[in-house]
Amino acid sequence: MAFPKGFLWGTSISAEQVEGGWNEGGKSPVQIDYAAAGDAGHMRKVWFRNADGTRGSMPAFGKLPEGAKYEIFDDIHYTNHEAADFYHHWKEDLGLFAEMGFTTFNTSLAWSRIYPYGVRNGVNKEGVEFYRNVFTEARRLGMDPVITLYKYDEPVWYEETYGGWENREMIDEFVEFAKTCFTEYKGLINKWMTFNEINILIMFKAMGNSNLSKESIYAQTHNQIIAAARSVKAAHEIDPDLKVGCMIAGQCAYPLTPDPNDVMATYAGFQEGFCYCADAMMRGRYPSFAKRMWENDNVQMTVSEEDAKDMMEGKADFLGFSYYMSGCITTHTDTEATAGNLFTSVKNPYLKASDWGWQIDPVGYKYTLHVLYDRYNKPLFNVENGLGAYDKVEEDGSIHDSYRIDYHRAHIQKLKEAIEEGVDIFGYTTWGGLDLVSASTGQMDKRYGMIYVDMNDKGEGTFERKRKDSFFWYKKCIESNGDELD
Ligand code: BG6
């Protein structure tokens, strides 16, 4: 059997994408609470009121213009406000997870439920208890949850009070939040991850699709890296048995041509997009090519002695990563673009793509598993892997999502091969096993789930849950510890 005994199987979801209850239980607003849905061809936008009274919008993760304020507008439907309504359905959802045989699941904690208005204004007990109930029930059902502390959702209060992650005050705030979580959930949660896809701003920089300056992107990323390192140290002090990983958005790209310039550009893309953050967190120092990045981007970056020490002492225990698709890179300009996971790439003629233009590539997955294990030599955890698709509910309520089964079968097959070839990985969680709100487009109709949630982009639906064909397929796969993939 390729998969080791105790291999963790499950799914990954996130607070802001499934919970809803956006203003319940003492939770404060986060930026995405002000974002409208886009569609297959358009990213979602965050809406606000400008200082002169006009309406404005910007891409998610962006920075408000001077004097602007977030505002809820009556004529916009905000898909995250209710999302999949996990906040009220969590018991039923965990029951369905258990029915599929999950031995783990991953979600993020909403910081805005734990410290809605900063550490100085106190912990919100209702938020702490909400997650305690969720984790206790998950354990009772046989799951060993792996929990992410941060998934792009600090309370807006931090932006208003400190200006957000550019400010080093955020480091202490985050570490306090992390310590509260490690302490409150001691014995319930043994594996944590600090920041989801911490490399996302660096990737935005490369694609030029953010309104943040390069200085801001480097400063925010650095402050998050330091906050993560100090949290790892704090976790080990609170409980030496805790394992704390980092989580990096997977990046798999091929040179479009054998032109050595394409090969170099592809390697540089991997270094900058993935390894810049992963090296800092797994090896405890920025890679040598970081200097090239800072110089090319004309930013002044100095790493203080204290930060360097924290990075070295707070290395992550494992490497969590997401993988959805691959792309191509070229220095030639006569190419066709494809859409991607919050980024675009060049079309690969050998691959098929999803309805959102994401190129499906299980071989790229195996390649990624090898590259990451070779480079970091620490256990891997594949936190996200999945296919966003439109699903059709038949008259009898069934959902025949053979495309999703094909996707996961092909990827799990490659995972199995990689393990047989020596890659050390302790778990696989599909992305969005419960239908949820898409991060890039804000849609509910872009579905990843094995559990259907009756809710659409316009807010129509009952939140009823239905088992898709993939639900039964994944159950069989887990029962056989990955042996039965037909
Ligand atoms: C990952 C994010 O990069 O991609 C998730 O961590 C996101 O939050 C997932 O949902 C899929 O992307 P999308 O845009 O289809 O939701």
Side-chain angles (χ1 to χ4, degrees):
M1 270 219 277
F3 289 96
K5 198 163 169 272
F7 186 80
L8 295 177
W9 295 99
T11 201
S12 169
I13 54 179
S14 82
E16 65 174 29
Q17 291 173 275
V18 290
E19 283 180 12
W22 77 289
N23 56 4
E24 289 180 61
K27 178 185 170 296
S28 66
V30 299
Q31 188 191 61
I32 220 66
D33 289 329
Y34 300 94
D39 56 39
H42 300 93
M43 303 275 275
R44 68 188 321 185
K45 282 189 176 156
V46 177
W47 289 87
F48 51 81
R49 179 80 66 192
N50 283 307
D52 65 4
T54 57
R55 270 193 199 196
S57 68
M58 64 178 180
F61 300 89
K63 194 174 175 139
L64 278 180
E66 199 60 38
K69 284 212 166 357
Y70 294 113
E71 186 173 322
I72 299 292
F73 296 100
D74 288 345
D75 57 340
I76 291 179
H77 173 64
Y78 298 93
T79 39
N80 287 76
H81 284 190
E82 289 181 297
D85 203 29
F86 179 83
Y87 191 67
H88 299 108
H89 286 75
W90 60 270
K91 241 188 191 161
E92 179 187 354
D93 293 334
L94 291 180
L96 288 163
F97 289 177
E99 194 182 321
M100 270 190 274
F102 286 6
T103 51
T104 189
F105 88 101
N106 165 255
T107 191
S108 58
L109 292 162
W111 186 348
S112 52
R113 288 197 192 284
I114 309 284
Y115 282 110
Y117 302 99
V119 173
R120 75 168 94 125
N121 290 309
V123 69
N124 173 33
K125 293 224 169 60
E126 203 174 336
V128 172
E129 289 317 306
F130 170 68
Y131 292 111
R132 193 190 315 286
N133 291 336
V134 171
F135 301 155
T136 306
E137 177 69 357
R139 285 234 158 256
R140 191 185 71 77
L141 293 169
M143 288 173 251
D144 179 15
V146 182
I147 299 303
T148 303
L149 287 164
Y150 174 90
K151 187 143 181 173
Y152 327 131
D153 61 347
E154 65 276 14
V156 157
W157 184 88
Y158 282 111
E159 198 177 335
E160 290 164 354
T161 312
Y162 296 123
W165 274 105
E166 277 172 43
N167 188 333
R168 283 186 68 96
E169 298 267 2
M170 292 297 288
I171 300 174
D172 289 344
E173 289 287 321
F174 182 83
V175 176
E176 276 314 304
F177 159 58
K179 280 186 188 165
T180 300
C181 297
F182 298 145
T183 311
E184 288 288 346
Y185 307 124
K186 196 169 164 185
L188 276 175
I189 303 301
N190 307 316
K191 295 183 195 66
W192 294 90
M193 286 181 291
T194 46
F195 288 80
N196 182 72
E197 296 187 337
I198 196 167
N199 52 337
I200 202 87
L201 293 184
I202 297 287
M203 285 162 72
F204 284 172
K205 179 182 71 65
M207 292 173 288
N209 61 0
S210 155
N211 74 355
L212 298 170
S213 68
K214 289 179 177 166
E215 285 79 6
S216 169
I217 286 177
Y218 281 111
Q220 292 197 40
T221 304
H222 180 71
N223 291 343
Q224 293 184 356
I225 286 170
I226 300 306
R230 291 193 192 164
S231 302
V232 172
K233 282 167 68 175
H236 292 158
E237 278 159 24
I238 290 167
D239 179 352
D241 289 336
L242 286 184
K243 297 279 179 245
V244 188
C246 59
M247 200 301 207
I248 320 276
Q251 236 189 356
C252 175
Y254 310 112
L256 187 70
T257 75
D259 177 347
N261 290 309
D262 281 7
V263 177
M264 191 61 233
T266 304
Y267 191 63
F270 174 64
Q271 285 180 318
E272 299 181 7
F274 193 93
C275 306
Y276 177 80
C277 291
D279 283 15
M281 301 179 88
M282 300 295 296
R283 294 175 163 176
R285 57 181 161 74
Y286 283 114
S288 48
F289 57 80
K291 200 161 159 268
R292 173 189 83 211
M293 291 171 68
W294 300 330
E295 280 172 6
N296 285 349
D297 286 327
N298 204 14
V299 296
Q300 295 299 320
M301 271 285 295
T302 40
V303 179
S304 70
E305 265 179 42
E306 190 194 4
D307 283 359
K309 186 166 174 283
D310 283 336
M311 285 166 73
M312 196 46 83
E313 290 174 353
K315 286 189 272 188
D317 297 317
F318 62 89
L319 173 62
F321 70 100
S322 55
Y323 178 89
Y324 290 88
M325 57 172 289
S326 68
C328 290
I329 292 185
T330 183
T331 52
H332 302 258
T333 49
D334 52 340
T335 54
E336 201 183 331
T338 176
N341 181 18
L342 309 172
F343 65 93
T344 52
S345 165
V346 176
K347 210 168 189 147
N348 184 333
Y350 297 97
L351 299 177
K352 291 202 178 111
S354 77
D355 289 338
W356 279 260
W358 297 27
Q359 301 184 130
I360 300 167
D361 183 10
V363 176
Y365 180 45
K366 178 171 169 181
Y367 171 83
T368 301
L369 287 161
H370 274 293
V371 169
L372 300 189
Y373 189 58
D374 287 350
R375 187 173 179 101
Y376 298 107
N377 251 276
K378 276 201 191 164
L380 306 181
F381 178 45
N382 183 193
V383 192
E384 298 180 20
N385 173 242
L387 176 75
Y390 294 108
D391 290 334
K392 179 166 176 264
V393 183
E394 305 295 338
E395 268 178 27
D396 64 358
S398 56
I399 298 139
H400 304 306
D401 57 341
S402 54
Y403 34 88
R404 188 167 292 109
I405 297 175
D406 290 347
Y407 180 96
H408 285 292
R409 178 190 293 121
H411 285 78
I412 293 173
Q413 184 55 46
K414 291 295 163 199
L415 172 59
K416 199 179 211 176
E417 290 172 18
I419 292 175
E420 279 163 357
E421 291 166 18
V423 169
D424 180 6
I425 176 164
F426 64 83
Y428 171 88
T429 47
T430 68
W431 171 245
L434 176 74
D435 286 347
L436 42 67
V437 179
S438 153
S440 55
T441 67
Q443 294 174 278
M444 272 301 293
D445 289 333
K446 183 181 190 185
R447 295 175 185 276
Y448 285 88
M450 292 161 169
I451 302 165
Y452 185 88
V453 176
D454 179 31
M455 180 47 59
N456 67 17
D457 292 350
K458 298 190 205 110
E460 302 157 345
T462 60
F463 291 115
E464 189 197 339
R465 276 55 175 154
K466 294 183 202 299
R467 296 163 182 80
K468 304 183 193 178
D469 286 357
S470 54
F471 180 101
F472 302 102
W473 175 84
Y474 197 35
K475 181 174 176 353
K476 239 176 24 182
C477 162
I478 296 174
E479 251 163 30
S480 64
N481 198 23
D483 243 20
E484 181 52 73
L485 296 177
D486 288 339

